[in-house]
Amino acid sequence: MEKLKLQIYLIQTLCLHKKIYKFSLLVFLCSLIFFSKTSCSTLSFNFYGLSCPSAELMVKNTVRSASSMDPTIPGKLLRLLFHDCFVEGCDASILLEGNGTERSDPANKSLGGFSVIENAKRVLEIFCPFTVSCADIVALAARDAVEFAGGPNVQIPTGRRDGRISLTTNVRPNIVDTSFTMDQMINIFTIKGLSLDDLVILSGAHTIGSAHCNAFSGRFRVDTNGNFTLIDPSLDKAYATELTKQCPAGAATSTITVKNDPQTPQLFDNQYFKDLIEHKGLFQSDSVLFNDVRTKERVMEFANDQDGFFRSWSQSFVRLSVLGVKSGENGEVRTSCSVIN
């Protein structure tokens, strides 16, 4: 019954997403068959209802505690999920340590939140040993992080298995770089089975979190004499000038961080989209969302309707959280999230 509920839920969100409001019984039944054959069919809501009834609560409490001590944790946990799911699927492969792993790639060196996942795992192994996967913990932690930052509470299915493969060579071809054009981002999202609408919605994750200066410093230049040059005209000049103060010339741009959203950096809201309209998107990949006619209207809609953004986020987040999930012998339940069993 739980699997059937998940299948129907995914179909409903897909149909809303595609703006298909009427579809035949045949299409509906075929869709059920399709989802029953994918790895998503192994997931269900309340998957741990019998094996570990308090699993989600234990993760939530761990995230709540960590977030109360460090307000940057929600942004780190949300980013961690993106970097996990876009490479090898949502299988906690990003957590594996060692030379040549995803985690060792320079693009992932700035990731954080690993200790929160490990802390939750240690608690779960005490009360429910060999039961709850690290992949589920990563997804649940990101979900809870958004809620604690003021965003919507999203129900997501669980039952993911942990992957055994983690290669640094898989990272760059599968993640969005902050300097990407619209077409480059669309290509990555399309490969993952996500749409243009998902691209706009999930980019809203940048409403929290921070970034290192070297992720956007190519958009302007300050010479040794302090002379400022705006390289990217899509960036507000006054905002760019402020960024140069936070990322001074000659400083270690790979260590200094700047808030993604200059207005409400620790609140998950729709301010990110308002920032884009004001040409204050931190990354080039942010600014193109407002500059491109294919996405501009959606950006404006979300800037004026936070509830609408939250509803759309809830649907797109579920789609993100089930990308490439492992099942059966294709995965395992690690006892420690940083190493395979």
Side-chain angles (χ1 to χ4, degrees), residues 152-303:
N153 179 303
V154 184
Q155 184 182 18
I156 64 171
T158 45
R160 299 164 188 78
R161 303 277 284 184
D162 298 325
R164 301 186 182 95
I165 298 174
S166 182
L167 300 173
T168 187
T169 53
N170 289 339
V171 175
R172 297 307 176 97
N174 287 288
I175 62 172
V176 172
D177 187 84
T178 56
S179 63
F180 270 14
T181 64
M182 177 63 75
D183 288 337
Q184 287 174 309
M185 290 193 292
I186 290 175
N187 182 58
I188 292 288
F189 270 68
T190 299
I191 291 173
K192 304 303 174 187
L194 297 172
S195 72
L196 183 61
D197 210 35
D198 288 319
L199 168 57
V200 178
I201 296 162
L202 293 174
S203 292
H206 288 167
T207 190
I208 57 175
S210 59
H212 289 86
C213 295
N214 59 358
F216 55 84
S217 57
R219 306 184 73 188
F220 50 80
R221 181 175 63 249
V222 179
D223 62 24
T224 54
N225 296 321
N227 297 314
F228 171 82
T229 301
L230 184 63
I231 298 174
D232 184 351
S234 68
L235 186 64
D236 178 76
K237 188 174 182 178
Y239 178 50
T241 301
E242 179 60 32
L243 291 175
T244 65
K245 297 176 183 178
Q246 299 181 61
C247 303
T253 58
S254 62
T255 57
I256 301 174
T257 59
V258 172
K259 302 298 183 184
N260 291 344
D261 174 5
Q263 302 299 322
T264 56
Q266 294 171 0
L267 183 64
F268 192 95
D269 55 14
N270 67 333
Q271 182 61 45
Y272 166 77
F273 298 103
K274 297 178 182 179
D275 293 339
L276 295 186
I277 294 175
E278 296 176 358
H279 301 286
K280 294 180 180 180
L282 186 60
F283 308 126
Q284 178 179 315
S285 56
D286 291 325
S287 295
V288 296
L289 295 177
F290 182 67
N291 297 332
D292 195 294
V293 294
R294 291 171 288 184
T295 51
K296 183 174 184 176
E297 183 178 347
R298 202 70 165 127
V299 169
M300 296 177 68
E301 287 179 11
F302 291 143

